[in-house]
Amino acid sequence: MLGKWEAGANVLTIGASRMAPKPGAHPSNRRPTGHAMKRPLPVSPSSASSPWAGTPTTTTGQRYDAVDALRGVAMVWMTAFHFCFDLSHFGFWPQNFRVDPFWTTQRTVIVSLFLFCAGLGQAIAWHQGQGWQRFGRRWMQIAGCALLVTLGSFAMFPQSFIYFGVLHGMAVMLLIARCTANWGRWLWLAGLVAVALPLLAQHLLVGSWVEAAPWFNGRSLNWLGLVSRKPFTEDYVPVFPWLGVMWWGLAAGQWMLSHRSVLLWRPLPGIVRPLSVLGRWSLSYYMLHQPVMIGLLMAVAWWLGRP
């Protein structure tokens, strides 16, 4: 139900040579010492590359471990969430995932983490001058996987199949984020407007605009998220308000790259590194983890003689 973000190596110089050359010495024979020596600071071996966000790998192979690790956290949490959902679906542990705040809140946070990371990835891609050709290749992978999700969910849930879930929303929002990456600080305000729009639309569609509600609630327009009631579907990630989260990730990524880039390339503790490795394969993992878990639970249900 519940998405790979090129930079050269950054070498920082500590101090500057203030020593004068010895009389008669050629400048090229001088050897700076102490603070006059240039040292490359350790740079994380990773860049924010996510299959969900279409972020590029750098020409040097550099990746941003912090972004990958954050995405890895979302992936582990998503896996636990989906496993509980599958247990409920097969009757092992009945839960109400549609209305129980314990589950709906978790879903909101998980989706927010993925979309925020996608925004971070687009900030890095924009900063490093990623071309439309590379962006387009990754975007086609996401769109193709979204189509597979629709087909697979229709086979399992024909009455509530996924027609605009997280990958569908990601594909649309990435295009918008790409085209608005030069908005700079205005991205913060744009994100706030995007988050607030569904609340305003719901207020109008149950009030003075009630006659327009069937149009906005229908499948042809409800992918926008401006609805008076949510559609009956297994996953629903409309453009609004979720575009706001991606815009905030884009804005935050641009700010960090300009003012606090160390937050992105700082080496991670060893205990966290497996998360960064996992975060580099989010699209493949997303497409495989549910079929694997569902297949295992179906085998368990068959072995226990459950219908």
Side-chain angles (χ1 to χ4, degrees):
M1 288 188 301
L2 291 175
K4 273 179 183 198
W5 286 289
E6 177 167 324
N10 294 322
V11 179
L12 303 181
T13 303
I14 302 178
S17 176
R18 297 180 182 271
M19 299 179 63
K22 294 180 179 180
H26 192 278
S28 62
N29 293 329
R30 288 180 294 165
R31 183 178 182 182
T33 59
H35 290 291
M37 297 183 66
K38 293 183 179 180
R39 302 179 196 167
L41 292 181
V43 178
S44 166
S46 92
S47 104
S49 177
S50 160
W52 285 45
T55 342
T57 303
T58 67
T59 53
T60 61
Q62 180 185 346
R63 302 173 63 96
Y64 288 93
D65 284 336
V67 181
D68 284 332
L70 182 60
R71 193 181 306 110
V73 170
M75 292 165 67
V76 172
W77 196 348
M78 172 190 70
T79 303
F81 181 91
H82 279 168
F83 183 69
C84 294
F85 176 86
D86 296 339
L87 286 175
S88 177
H89 175 72
F90 285 103
F92 291 106
W93 187 38
Q95 298 289 310
N96 192 334
F97 280 80
R98 297 187 183 277
V99 299
D100 189 338
F102 179 77
W103 298 113
T104 57
T105 301
Q106 289 189 66
R107 178 189 179 275
T108 298
V109 177
I110 294 168
V111 174
S112 297
L113 282 174
F114 276 119
L115 294 177
F116 190 82
C117 288
L120 288 174
Q122 285 307 294
I124 295 169
W126 174 263
H127 180 76
Q128 297 167 349
Q130 182 193 67
W132 276 100
Q133 184 177 7
R134 184 162 191 166
F135 173 88
R137 287 199 301 267
R138 180 56 61 188
W139 186 89
M140 289 296 293
Q141 292 180 11
I142 296 170
C145 287
L147 178 60
L148 291 176
V149 168
T150 296
L151 295 175
S153 63
F154 184 80
M156 285 197 66
F157 312 102
Q159 302 302 319
S160 58
F161 69 96
I162 301 169
Y163 60 90
F164 206 84
V166 66
L167 290 184
H168 308 73
M170 182 80 70
V172 173
M173 287 181 264
L174 283 174
L175 287 173
I176 298 173
R178 175 78 182 191
C179 293
T180 58
N182 61 349
W183 284 9
R185 296 176 181 176
W186 289 103
L187 289 167
W188 295 106
L189 179 59
L192 181 61
V193 172
V195 170
L197 268 179
L199 299 175
L200 176 61
Q202 185 178 34
H203 176 74
L204 293 173
L205 291 174
V206 297
S208 56
W209 290 10
V210 65
E211 294 181 357
W215 292 92
F216 284 93
N217 291 335
R219 192 172 293 172
S220 59
L221 287 179
N222 65 18
W223 57 273
L224 291 171
L226 308 178
V227 297
S228 61
R229 55 174 176 77
K230 292 183 179 180
F232 182 62
T233 175
E234 296 302 319
D235 191 24
Y236 178 58
V237 184
V239 174
F240 301 107
W242 296 107
L243 177 60
V245 179
M246 185 178 289
W247 266 337
W248 284 339
L250 178 57
Q254 291 180 347
W255 181 86
M256 284 188 283
L257 287 166
S258 298
H259 300 91
R260 296 289 189 274
S261 60
V262 66
L263 297 175
L264 295 175
W265 58 255
R266 176 183 293 167
L268 299 176
I271 194 172
V272 181
R273 288 175 189 164
L275 289 174
S276 68
V277 175
L278 179 65
R280 301 170 194 173
W281 301 95
S282 52
L283 184 60
S284 302
Y285 184 92
Y286 177 83
M287 295 300 294
L288 293 174
H289 81 287
Q290 271 290 61
V292 170
M293 291 194 299
I294 290 173
L296 290 174
L297 287 176
M298 288 178 67
V300 171
W302 174 83
W303 184 70
L304 294 176
R306 286 176 173 263

